């Protein structure tokens, strides 16, 4: 049964609000507000499984870099977003006793603003894209590029710049859950049902809107083998590549449906303020129909050393 907005339910002794979009959530966001909606990644980045996969990547990366005799002097968080990974990097460096400068870059001013609030003076923030960061940052020992490489059409230029910017023994790490292999076997039917329900709602509520299917190549997901070739093409040696499973809840899917880039990828050509609530409602419907509590999803974790 899908409950209606405004209802509440006591679960595990804790009163949780029912969000206007159908899932139970501890962090209620009203659907109607006088403040314009900010479609960032912040809510999704607070989920426990997300922190776990990113922390694992940061740990492996710093451990690998520590094999070098030269100390870590500078670390770059590329596409830092709202700062969740920047925070993990700072914690990892502190744990290892490394006194390194942290630079965090992102093209989104609203994401940077949130990251500044989270990190304070713990990092230096620069507004720029991954396509042009090479000219904007000094030489560095580590580059971490989390949950963003799949957003770029032109990946070669980023990896090439990363190689130029890294010092000797430098390490580049990235992860993504949007790659060929992200769906564990048996989970495809969830995505099909979700999209079917989303498109039905779109047709019902906005019959004049159509998906833009003109650029299917733009968002093609790479295979792990293609990522390896990409790195090797630009002088990297892949030291670590594995798929880590995360259990995603309905609420986490709704939170990622609040992120503009996700909405653009899932419903290309549909305005975010229309697509986002449709994705949130339809994912709740899919979870309900399939009687699921969570869904496994693979994260590709990659760490490479500049040869
Ligand atoms: C999904 S968020 C990931 C944020 C953070 N790295 C994390 O893992 O939590 C993707 C980020 O990539 C940024 N982004 C989008 N296009 C980009 C580009 N061309 N160059 C650099 N960053 C980009 C977005 O602004 C957003 O902050």
């Amino acid at each position: 049964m899908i409950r209606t907005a405004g209802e509440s339910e006591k679960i595990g002794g804790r009163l949780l609000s029912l969000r206007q979009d159908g899932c139970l959530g501890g962090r209620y966001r009203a659907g109607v507000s006088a403040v314009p909606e900010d479609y960032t990644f912040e809510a999704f980045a607070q989920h426990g499984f997300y922190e776990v996969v990113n922390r694992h990547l940061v740990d492996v990366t710093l451990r690998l870099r520590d094999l070098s005799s030269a100390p870590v002097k500078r670390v770059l968080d590329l596409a830092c977003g709202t700062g969740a990974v920047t925070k993990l990097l700072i914690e990892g460096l502190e744990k290892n006793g490394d006194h390194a400068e942290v630079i965090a870059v992102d093209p989104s001013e609203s994401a940077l603003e949130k990251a500044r609030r989270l990190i304070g003076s713990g990092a230096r923030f620069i507004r720029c894209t991954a396509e042009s960061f090479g000219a904007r940052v000094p030489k560095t020992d580590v580059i971490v590029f989390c949950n963003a490489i799949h957003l770029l059409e032109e990946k070669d230029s980023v990896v090439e710049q990363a190689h130029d910017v890294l010092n000797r023994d430098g390490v580049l790490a990235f992860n993504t859950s949007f790659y060929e292999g992200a769906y564990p076997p048996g989970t495809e039917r969830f995505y099909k049902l979700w999209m079917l329900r989303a498109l039905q709602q779109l047709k019902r509520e906005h019959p004049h809107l159509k998906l833009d299917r003109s650029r299917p190549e733009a968002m093609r997901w790479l295979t792990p083998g293609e990522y390896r070739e990409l790195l090797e093409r630009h002088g990297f040696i892949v030291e670590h590549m594995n798929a880590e499973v995360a259990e995603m809840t309905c609420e986490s899917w709704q939170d990622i449906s609040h992120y503009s880039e996700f909405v653009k990828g899932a419903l290309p050509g549909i305005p975010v303020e229309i697509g986002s609530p449709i994705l949130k409602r339809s994912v709740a419907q899919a979870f309900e129909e399939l009687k699921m509590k969570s869904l496994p999803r693979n994260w590709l974790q990659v760490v490479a050393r500049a040869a």
Side-chain angles (χ1 to χ4, degrees):
M1 177 194 70
I2 296 179
R3 297 173 190 88
T4 53
E7 285 181 83
S8 297
E9 186 169 272
K10 202 159 190 179
I11 292 183
R14 203 170 131 226
L15 192 67
L16 294 172
S17 308
L18 264 175
R19 295 164 25 150
Q20 300 218 335
D21 36 37
C23 271
L24 288 168
R27 287 165 294 147
Y28 181 77
R29 280 192 305 259
V32 183
S33 163
V35 181
E37 286 269 21
D38 189 6
Y39 292 95
T40 69
F41 197 62
E42 199 177 25
F44 183 75
Q46 287 165 23
H47 285 275
F49 66 82
Y50 186 72
E51 182 180 326
V52 169
V53 288
N54 290 326
R55 192 185 289 282
H56 285 166
L57 185 75
V58 166
D59 286 351
V60 173
T61 305
L62 295 181
R63 224 178 302 136
L64 185 70
R65 178 55 184 74
D66 277 351
L67 296 177
S68 163
S69 53
V72 183
K73 294 218 171 109
R74 189 173 291 120
V75 168
L76 180 71
D77 184 5
L78 188 57
C80 67
T82 51
V85 174
T86 321
K87 186 161 171 267
L88 295 176
L89 272 171
I90 292 170
E91 288 169 3
L93 290 165
E94 270 172 12
K95 199 170 74 189
N96 292 357
D98 290 322
H99 301 285
E101 180 189 24
V102 177
I103 299 180
V105 312
D106 199 280
S108 159
E109 189 47 50
S110 69
L112 283 175
E113 193 44 48
K114 292 188 169 78
R116 279 189 203 101
R117 251 183 272 143
L118 179 71
I119 305 294
S121 59
R124 180 150 68 93
F125 293 94
I126 300 176
R127 186 176 181 192
C128 72
T129 66
E131 288 86 345
S132 64
F133 80 102
R136 302 285 308 279
V137 300
K139 285 274 194 182
T140 185
D141 301 306
V142 173
I143 299 175
V144 170
F145 186 26
C146 284
N147 302 295
I149 194 163
H150 52 270
L151 296 173
L152 308 182
E153 264 182 74
E154 184 35 70
K155 297 177 181 49
D156 276 281
S157 134
V158 181
V159 178
E160 188 180 5
Q161 287 176 70
H163 196 273
D164 290 348
V165 158
L166 282 169
N167 288 320
R168 206 165 146 258
D169 293 336
V171 172
L172 167 67
F174 64 83
N175 62 3
T176 176
S177 60
F178 297 87
Y179 73 100
E180 204 54 51
Y183 298 169
T187 59
E188 295 87 349
R189 67 189 189 128
F190 158 74
Y191 298 100
K192 283 193 188 136
L193 182 62
W194 181 9
M195 281 310 115
L196 177 68
R197 296 293 176 246
L199 294 177
Q200 286 170 338
Q201 284 187 33
L202 185 67
K203 196 169 170 197
R204 213 167 37 240
E205 294 168 21
H206 303 276
H208 57 289
L209 289 178
K210 298 274 169 281
L211 290 191
D212 176 3
R213 300 184 195 269
S214 61
R215 302 177 67 231
E217 257 303 293
M219 283 298 154
R220 193 178 73 80
W221 293 358
L222 268 54
T223 63
E226 286 173 319
Y227 274 118
R228 182 181 289 276
E229 283 165 20
L230 171 71
L231 288 161
E232 290 175 350
R233 224 172 15 251
H234 296 286
F236 283 96
I237 296 167
V238 176
E239 299 282 5
H240 174 93
M241 180 179 268
N242 79 331
E244 189 163 332
V245 186
E247 278 296 324
M248 295 185 65
T249 57
C250 176
E251 192 190 3
S252 68
W253 282 113
Q254 293 195 309
D255 284 338
I256 203 169
S257 299
H258 194 76
Y259 175 47
S260 54
E261 295 298 326
F262 180 80
V263 179
K264 283 185 214 161
L267 297 176
I270 304 302
V272 172
E273 62 280 12
I274 292 176
S276 172
I278 285 180
L279 288 172
K280 290 178 193 181
R281 287 196 303 268
S282 52
V283 77
Q285 221 177 331
F287 261 77
E288 185 72 32
E289 286 181 42
L290 295 174
K291 308 218 173 319
M292 293 186 331
K293 295 247 176 309
S294 66
L295 179 92
R297 174 96 175 196
N298 292 333
W299 249 259
L300 183 68
Q301 309 265 60
V302 183
V303 188
R305 188 167 45 83

